[in-house]
Amino acid sequence: MSDKKYIEEFDLLMIANQIIQEHDDYIDGMRATSVEEKEGVLVFKGEYFLDEKGMPTMNTTAVFNMFKYLAHHLSKEFTLNK
């Protein structure tokens, strides 16, 4: 049996965005705007700082890594209420 806490999407996004803003790798404008759960893993989405042609920028990697960090840490603790 899992000891994960059930949480609403809104509340999880509040926690995730607080973590993002307090993280050393925070970039102005970086924020999670949605989250879904796939096979027990929380997948965060938001602005990826693409250029005008839709290509990744240096900030894109930072955002990807931040969302990966959130997924790794928060998936252990929470599961979304459905």
Side-chain angles (χ1 to χ4, degrees), residues 41-59:
V41 177
L42 298 168
V43 180
F44 293 88
K45 296 180 182 179
E47 171 65 48
Y48 279 94
F49 298 98
L50 301 176
D51 69 13
E52 62 278 348
K53 296 179 183 175
M55 300 299 293
T57 65
M58 288 177 49
N59 289 345

Side-chain angles (χ1 to χ4, degrees), residues 19-28 30 59 62-63 65-66 69:
I19 291 169
I20 289 170
Q21 289 182 334
E22 294 173 355
H23 198 279
D24 290 341
D25 294 331
Y26 172 75
I27 297 170
D28 190 39
M30 183 187 288
N59 289 345
V63 173
N65 288 336
M66 183 65 71
Y69 172 83

